[in-house]
Amino acid sequence: MSELQISFDGRLYRYGPGTVRVGRSADNDIVVSDPTVSRKHAQLTFEADGWTWQNAGQSPTFLRGQPVARFGVADLADITLGSPQGPAIRIQVVPDAVAPVKTELAGPALVAELAAPPPAAAAASPAPAQSPAAPAAPPAPGYPQQAPGYPQQAPGYASPAYPPPGAIPQPGYPPAGAVPPPGMPGWPAPPPPGHLEMGSFFQTLVPVKSWLHDKGWRQGLRLLIIPYALLPLIFVQLFSMSGNLATPGWTYGIYIAPLWLLAFWYMIRPPRWRGLEVGIAIGIVIWEFIWLHVVTIYINDHFVGRHLSLPGALIVGYNEETSKALPVLVAAALLLGIRKKKLDPRTWMLMGTIAGLTFGVIEQSIYTPAALSIIVQYHFAQAAVLGELEFAFRVFVDGFQHAVWAGISGFFIGLAINYPRRRIPLLLLGISIPAVLHALNDWTLTIFFPSVWFTVFVIQGLSLLLFLGYTLSAEQIERRVRRNPAFRGQSILMERFSEPGAAPGT
């Protein structure tokens, strides 16, 4: 049986055959609290041919300065995590040792452990007879006293107490810069006092070369920071001479929408997306842009009066929520009819938020000119403040509100497509909940304006509560629906057409 010894941060860990997990998360066996290390960075597994290191996270592992994903640990390995200059770990396999499940030593205990003779060797034979020998040279200042029977290290070490140049310093070894004792071959002469290699100093503090080869640059969130830091300045440069007041609404609406989408993604947690889902999302965006200008605006203009009453608000609510739900429903129905494929309701919930964000960006680009014209026409502070707040509301909140309502519809559409027996009730409920909330939001803003406290705490608060509730329990609701016989089977309407004499539900 091979014992695995891991030295990190002044501690020695010992493991028997099994699995050892390494990472930043507190539930790992070896916890490395460094931001460049993945939460579940890697694991060491005892297999038929010995111990194997296997990366499990996105951050790389470096062995002798080269990135590796998997390697076998035959004897001794010095590795770094995250980058060549990252946290250092020494891994050593000690064969034919009876290892406990886990032993952790630190500080003086670790030095004593390294200095003690191996138990197996001590028990195998009695101590040899003492013979006179020449006195050993005293250790140099800063070097620990080498105990008798100190175990030999891996090949390539000049002495068990003194690692070769370039080796990663470990607990129990002399501090960096200590003068080696007389007679130690292969050690370079120490630099003169005050000497400093500027190249090495600069490369250590500004490791540009290692940055360029670091795989962390490929992580989406890091790359997203670059355009989001530069885009506002680019907008100012490109559109500073534009005379169209809708231009700022378009530019900053498109700038904010991906941030909301990222937040929705982490709240909804849909299954992994591939090319199919991305293509559907692009199709929903295109549909929404065309449908809103051709149908939605026409209905609002011709069937709703200038002063918004409650019936008029309901028309607006159902009209706009149907506009957002329709492309999601069509995409789900086509995917089921043509490819016989069903997606998780959480995927359709996220598709709904995409439709809502698209709707909100288009709508706020229509309304922002009126908000900005207040600043242009009225030359006093209160009007300017109201105009700026109206613009900010449209840019930051409009898309979010529409996405919250459309996300609820998308979830019910996913249930209706996957469980056709209650398809019609599910679709009606999925459209009606956000449509009524939408109508009450617009109507209360009209009758209570300029005080919006009722709308904020009641209507929008209820909308957020429902949306967040569905993001938390979407998987649980879908599981309950799947187990409920009332939702399984064909549509009740289709049963009546196909089997007129049969009783519903048979």
Side-chain angles (χ1 to χ4, degrees):
M1 180 170 64
S2 295
E3 176 186 85
L4 183 71
Q5 296 184 357
I6 301 178
S7 301
F8 169 68
D9 195 25
R11 295 181 181 273
L12 175 66
Y13 302 85
R14 302 172 63 183
Y15 298 93
T19 299
V20 181
R21 299 170 299 172
V22 181
R24 198 175 71 250
S25 177
D27 60 352
N28 290 290
D29 300 294
I30 308 295
V31 179
V32 184
S33 301
D34 190 280
T36 63
V37 178
S38 297
R39 294 182 70 257
K40 298 185 182 300
H41 191 97
Q43 65 181 23
L44 284 148
T45 307
F46 187 78
E47 300 175 348
D49 53 350
W51 288 92
T52 301
W53 174 283
Q54 175 67 58
N55 260 34
Q58 293 184 346
S59 295
T61 299
F62 290 85
L63 176 65
R64 293 187 291 274
Q66 300 298 319
V68 292
R70 179 185 174 91
F71 63 91
V73 185
D75 184 11
L76 180 69
D78 290 323
I79 62 173
T80 58
L81 307 183
S83 69
Q85 293 77 32
I89 294 180
R90 167 165 289 184
I91 307 172
Q92 186 173 10
V93 175
V94 182
D96 301 327
V98 179
V101 176
K102 177 177 179 180
T103 303
E104 180 180 332
L105 303 175
L110 174 58
V111 177
E113 167 71 18
L114 293 176
S125 61
Q130 300 293 328
S131 60
Y143 280 75
Q145 178 69 39
Q146 181 173 341
Y150 195 93
Q152 294 297 316
Q153 304 295 318
Y157 279 81
S159 170
Y162 312 110
I168 299 175
Q170 296 296 318
Y173 286 116
V179 179
M184 289 295 295
W187 279 69
H195 177 74
L196 181 63
E197 297 181 3
M198 293 304 298
S200 175
F201 177 82
F202 181 80
Q203 292 173 5
T204 300
L205 297 181
V206 191
V208 178
K209 185 180 295 185
S210 66
W211 287 347
L212 295 177
H213 294 86
D214 198 318
K215 293 182 180 180
W217 288 105
R218 304 176 189 176
Q219 295 178 2
L221 289 179
R222 281 194 175 93
L223 293 178
L224 192 63
I225 292 176
I226 298 175
Y228 269 86
L230 300 179
L231 274 178
L233 297 175
I234 296 174
F235 290 160
V236 172
Q237 183 65 34
L238 291 178
F239 305 117
S240 59
M241 302 304 294
S242 174
N244 187 352
L245 292 179
T247 300
W250 274 112
T251 53
Y252 286 97
I254 295 173
Y255 178 78
I256 296 298
L259 294 179
W260 283 128
L261 181 60
L262 189 63
F264 291 139
W265 180 283
Y266 279 99
M267 285 190 288
I268 298 172
R269 299 284 184 177
R272 184 179 178 181
W273 275 33
R274 296 176 177 83
L276 174 66
E277 289 81 0
V278 173
I280 293 174
I282 294 174
I284 288 174
V285 171
I286 296 173
W287 172 299
E288 202 63 54
F289 184 85
I290 297 173
W291 187 273
L292 188 147
H293 285 91
V294 175
V295 179
T296 309
I297 295 177
Y298 177 85
I299 293 176
N300 285 347
D301 290 345
H302 288 78
F303 294 95
V304 180
R306 187 171 183 178
H307 298 287
L308 192 64
S309 61
L310 181 57
L314 288 171
I315 293 175
V316 172
Y318 273 96
N319 179 33
E320 296 189 1
E321 294 308 316
T322 302
S323 298
K324 293 179 287 184
L326 197 56
V328 179
L329 177 60
V330 170
L334 289 176
L335 189 63
L336 180 62
I338 297 175
R339 300 187 59 171
K340 310 299 181 185
K341 186 173 183 177
K342 298 178 180 179
L343 299 182
D344 192 286
R346 291 172 296 169
T347 298
W348 295 117
M349 188 176 189
L350 188 66
M351 293 290 185
T353 64
I354 292 174
L357 285 171
T358 305
F359 190 100
V361 170
I362 299 171
E363 184 182 76
Q364 62 85 21
S365 70
I366 297 173
Y367 284 112
T368 49
L372 295 177
S373 64
I374 297 176
I375 305 174
V376 176
Q377 294 177 9
Y378 301 100
H379 303 284
F380 55 92
Q382 186 176 4
V385 169
L386 287 175
E388 291 172 356
L389 290 176
E390 177 71 14
F391 173 76
F393 165 76
R394 292 296 179 183
V395 169
F396 287 98
V397 182
D398 214 344
F400 173 78
Q401 283 183 335
H402 285 286
V404 165
W405 292 324
I408 297 173
S409 295
F411 175 69
F412 278 91
I413 289 172
L415 291 178
I417 290 296
N418 292 352
Y419 302 96
R421 185 170 181 80
R422 303 291 179 181
R423 178 168 292 168
I424 301 302
L426 286 171
L427 289 175
L428 290 176
L429 186 62
I431 296 294
S432 296
I433 291 176
V436 172
L437 290 171
H438 189 159
L440 292 175
N441 179 81
D442 293 357
W443 181 61
T444 54
L445 281 176
T446 301
I447 63 175
F448 291 118
F449 186 85
S451 176
V452 297
W453 297 115
F454 180 83
T455 304
V456 169
F457 288 109
V458 178
I459 307 303
Q460 294 187 12
L462 181 59
S463 301
L464 288 173
L465 180 63
L466 286 172
F467 177 79
L468 293 175
Y470 284 121
T471 62
L472 291 172
S473 60
E475 187 176 5
Q476 182 181 10
I477 292 174
E478 197 271 342
R479 186 165 56 248
R480 289 178 178 177
V481 168
R482 184 170 62 247
R483 295 173 180 174
N484 192 334
F487 291 90
R488 294 200 299 267
Q490 296 298 321
S491 170
I492 296 177
L493 293 179
M494 293 303 297
E495 286 182 353
R496 290 178 178 175
F497 280 111
S498 58
E499 301 179 19
T506 61

